Amino acid sequence: MFCAGAALAQQSLVQETKEQHEARMAWWKDARFGMFIHWGIYSVPAGTYDGKQIPGIGEWIMNRGKIPVARYAEYAKEFNPVEFNADAWVNIAKNAGMKYIVITSKHHDGFAMFHSETSSYNIYDATPFKRDPIAELTAACKKAGIRFGLYYSQAQDWHHRGGAANGGHWDPAAQDGSFDDYLDKIAVPQVREILTKYGPISVLWFDTPTNMTKERAEKFIPVLKLQPQIIVNNRLGGGFEGDLSTPEQYIPATGIPGKDWETCMTMNDTWGYKSYDDHWKSSDDLIQKISDIASKGGNFLLNVGPTSKGVIPQPSVDRLATMGKWMKVNSEAIYGSSPGPFSYLQWGRATRKGDMLYLHVFNWPAGGKLKVPLQNKVTTAYLLADASKKKLSTKNEGDWLTINVPATAPDSVDSVISMRIEGAPVALKSPSAGKSGAASSTAGPDFGPEKAFDGSPDSRWKAAGDQRSGWLEVTFDKPAKIGHASMVENAGRGQGIRKFRLEYKDGSEWKPALEGTTIGRAFSKEFTPVVAETFRLNVLESTVAPQIDELQLDIVP
Ligand code: JFZ
């Protein structure tokens, strides 16, 4: 059901009805949680080359270390992951509560982690290992009932002639060549291989579409048709939207409403294994992240970077086991969930399934009373961790619902209250949502202040091109007690706002509510509550014309 041609550049590839699209995405939307695996011969140097620690992400060592093609290829001869066990890896994922796996079949270094007929630069032909881990993982996933996906770097390839290289070729004698020849002779044939050799592939994860035009992206359409049910991300290039957005290493502050999206994230600071990267996120943080992402309608693709011996690092295994214990009790609030009805909750997050709301309480209330900005009557409420499902008493007081909870939280990280409500949720909305706003200047009619309050990070307010400061103002229908701000600023890499002040109008005077420097794509901050009707984001310094994709001001109790 893939349709090439004019449709490619503007819309997604697939000409399918809404129902067909929903059916194709159903398993993915239910899954909510997957394992990303970055594994390749970069795990041999593991971040060190020529006696020096090479900065950056481990799988980029060839590029960052400017390692000559022939020298880097030597690592293949040392790559013999004799401790690799596909079933063990899949069970680690399954026990964590993960429902799909996406593994690098070929990353930017050009080394194929599958037995490729297209290029002998692969794990079967070029290493002592002489096995095909992609085939073994496919079988293990099928046995375990886990969906299997493949990452493929279609444009960047630092080994095969003509492959793109961000930062340019550093070994031109070996790397220079025709990019189109590279696509025709390596990339497209290898994508065909991975879509024909291993049975049903559930996800194709393209990456870094360097130099990819519409015509070049169209070269992949005939092979995509080989697996019409496959889910493809938004990184093929050439204007291809794909089926999902892929925020990388961050959680969009206000989600990506109306779109399927997946935050991919490392557990430490590297995708590919580095022997000395011990900067691990805590399992508490990772558990709260999966709830945060699900509460905004996204999936969490959490990465592991196995060693050159085929072992997933123990810190990763430990964190996944802890996440699995939490998921065992609370996965009902994650799998198949939709975003909760709230724009902000001081104490945590919320997910939803029809008339069921799941309140993820990170910060347990001291006085045993949980305040929820909801007007609905509650049919029943109980803690998922409470096997007896003891009913929690509740009380409606205008815009707020109070739930009487035990003195101590059953889970110090994220205690989930399952709550059935009467009727559609009537939740307190952000008073800035949907407002037209005002601004010091705009870059034109498509960048008006109202774009910062429309709930979509695909539209934005942008000041006039020559401005490096400016303000974005909003007035509510009535005064409100505001104590939190979520903001999204999708400025170019390394560009954007450098100093700002969120102000409220007190009579004719503007007073500061929150001051800061950078905003970025995942800004969420509490501040001392203020009651006011008019607020403005005063951008004091910016490297480019200030822009704000979303500004959401939230009421606190
Ligand atoms: C890409 C890869 O380069 C990286 O090695 C890893 O596989 C990651 C999941 O995907 O990383 C990116 C891609 C895009 C940007 C930055 C890093 N970007 O658009 O800024």
Side-chain angles (χ1 to χ4, degrees):
M1 282 210 283
F2 289 92
C3 169
L8 177 72
Q10 281 68 42
Q11 290 82 34
S12 78
L13 274 183
V14 184
Q15 276 193 334
E16 61 189 346
T17 63
K18 187 174 183 306
E19 291 70 25
Q20 288 167 330
H21 180 79
E22 289 301 324
R24 190 164 59 85
M25 295 302 295
W27 74 264
W28 186 90
K29 293 166 79 87
D30 180 72
R32 286 285 174 251
F33 191 25
M35 177 184 272
F36 214 171
I37 304 176
H38 277 69
W39 194 34
I41 58 173
Y42 37 76
S43 60
V44 174
T48 301
Y49 169 64
D50 202 15
K52 292 190 282 295
Q53 290 190 350
I54 305 299
I57 41 186
E59 70 284 2
W60 272 69
I61 189 168
M62 184 181 175
N63 184 303
R64 299 297 296 272
K66 299 302 173 234
I67 304 175
V69 170
R71 170 62 191 90
Y72 185 85
E74 292 293 306
Y75 290 127
K77 296 172 186 161
E78 301 173 55
F79 188 71
N80 191 14
V82 293
E83 295 176 50
F84 169 67
N85 179 317
D87 289 317
W89 284 17
V90 171
N91 287 332
I92 288 169
K94 185 168 186 175
N95 293 337
M98 293 164 152
K99 296 262 188 163
Y100 62 108
I101 287 174
V102 178
I103 185 169
T104 50
S105 64
K106 188 209 77 169
H107 205 268
H108 309 330
D109 63 358
F111 188 79
M113 292 297 284
F114 63 96
H115 187 183
S116 172
E117 313 296 326
T118 303
S119 165
S120 60
Y121 194 53
N122 71 69
I123 189 166
Y124 190 90
D125 295 320
T127 77
F129 193 51
K130 299 268 173 277
R131 283 161 54 184
D132 184 337
I134 302 302
E136 295 178 33
L137 281 165
T138 308
C141 281
K142 188 173 180 186
K143 193 170 23 172
I146 296 282
R147 291 273 184 156
F148 186 68
L150 291 169
Y151 165 111
Y152 187 85
S153 176
Q154 76 285 6
Q156 283 209 81
D157 186 315
W158 308 324
H159 177 85
H160 298 95
R161 278 193 180 288
N166 281 4
H169 291 156
W170 57 89
D171 185 359
Q175 292 173 312
D176 280 359
S178 154
F179 182 54
D180 286 303
D181 284 352
Y182 157 73
L183 292 175
D184 294 341
K185 293 175 183 156
I186 300 293
V188 173
Q190 283 194 324
V191 172
R192 178 181 296 278
E193 284 189 290
I194 61 177
L195 295 186
T196 48
K197 292 168 68 123
Y198 303 105
I201 300 296
S202 294
V203 177
L204 188 53
W205 219 93
F206 287 115
D207 198 9
T208 61
T210 310
N211 305 334
M212 287 296 287
T213 60
K214 171 169 147 326
E215 291 68 31
R216 286 168 171 162
E218 280 177 338
K219 291 172 185 246
F220 291 87
I221 308 312
V223 286
L224 287 174
K225 287 183 181 177
L226 297 169
Q227 299 244 5
Q229 289 310 306
I230 201 164
I231 289 172
V232 186
N233 74 355
N234 64 343
R235 296 191 182 185
L236 171 58
F240 168 79
E241 280 181 9
D243 299 308
L244 39 114
S245 299
T246 53
E248 179 171 322
Q249 299 284 39
Y250 74 95
I251 300 166
T254 54
I256 308 180
K259 284 207 171 158
D260 289 319
W261 58 276
E262 172 189 74
T263 281
C264 58
M265 194 173 279
T266 56
M267 269 195 232
N268 48 9
D269 291 332
T270 179
W271 303 93
Y273 178 67
K274 286 179 81 170
S275 61
Y276 49 86
D277 180 337
D278 294 318
H279 187 227
W280 299 99
K281 296 173 182 71
S282 69
S283 51
D284 293 5
D285 180 24
L286 294 168
I287 288 167
Q288 292 187 350
K289 277 178 164 56
I290 192 167
S291 294
D292 183 23
I293 291 167
S295 76
K296 291 166 178 149
N299 280 23
F300 193 19
L301 189 62
L302 183 57
N303 185 73
V304 296
T307 69
S308 62
K309 286 301 163 207
V311 175
I312 295 176
Q314 194 58 43
S316 297
V317 173
D318 295 343
R319 282 153 182 76
L320 290 171
T322 303
M323 293 181 84
K325 286 197 186 84
W326 184 86
M327 285 291 281
K328 199 169 176 63
V329 173
N330 301 289
S331 63
E332 171 187 338
I334 300 292
Y335 295 146
S337 67
S338 301
F342 309 107
S343 53
Y344 172 66
L345 294 166
Q346 267 189 314
W347 39 259
R349 301 293 185 271
T351 51
R352 178 185 176 190
K353 285 182 191 172
D355 63 355
M356 295 300 296
L357 294 184
Y358 298 94
L359 308 180
H360 300 248
V361 187
F362 299 169
N363 309 312
W364 198 252
K369 294 193 179 307
L370 187 71
K371 305 281 281 180
V372 187
L374 187 75
Q375 295 182 28
N376 299 71
K377 288 255 179 287
V378 174
T379 312
T380 180
Y382 64 90
L383 281 158
L384 284 184
D386 175 5
S388 69
K389 296 189 178 181
K390 180 173 175 294
K391 191 169 176 178
L392 302 174
S393 62
T394 62
K395 185 179 179 190
N396 292 88
E397 295 165 297
D399 287 342
W400 296 84
L401 168 76
T402 299
I403 304 176
N404 296 303
V405 296
T408 52
D411 187 306
S412 61
V413 177
D414 179 355
S415 300
V416 179
I417 294 172
S418 167
M419 184 165 78
R420 186 182 300 283
I421 60 172
E422 292 177 11
V426 180
L428 199 56
K429 283 289 174 216
S430 159
S432 55
K435 290 294 180 285
S436 50
S440 51
S441 70
T442 76
D446 293 337
F447 300 99
E450 71 284 356
K451 302 292 188 195
F453 307 107
D454 65 1
S456 162
D458 289 343
S459 65
R460 63 197 55 80
W461 163 69
K462 192 183 276 189
D466 61 350
Q467 302 297 300
R468 295 295 176 268
S469 61
W471 49 262
L472 173 66
E473 185 179 310
V474 63
T475 297
F476 307 148
D477 300 336
K478 60 184 180 184
K481 184 181 176 187
I482 301 296
H484 179 269
S486 290
M487 291 194 275
V488 177
E489 177 207 7
N490 262 318
R493 274 167 88 83
Q495 298 298 331
I497 293 167
R498 290 289 177 268
K499 190 175 180 185
F500 69 87
R501 192 166 50 228
L502 180 66
E503 300 169 336
Y504 65 98
K505 203 158 191 186
D506 182 3
S508 60
E509 203 183 338
W510 286 104
K511 292 183 177 174
L514 173 69
E515 298 183 306
T517 52
T518 50
I519 292 178
R521 297 174 287 197
F523 185 95
S524 167
K525 260 202 177 49
E526 287 197 347
F527 50 86
T528 305
V530 290
V531 177
E533 191 171 8
T534 299
F535 285 77
R536 75 176 181 182
L537 177 70
N538 192 355
V539 177
L540 305 169
E541 290 172 31
S542 177
T543 64
V544 292
Q547 75 171 59
I548 290 290
D549 301 60
E550 277 307 298
L551 167 57
Q552 179 183 287
L553 298 175
D554 294 299
I555 291 172
V556 293

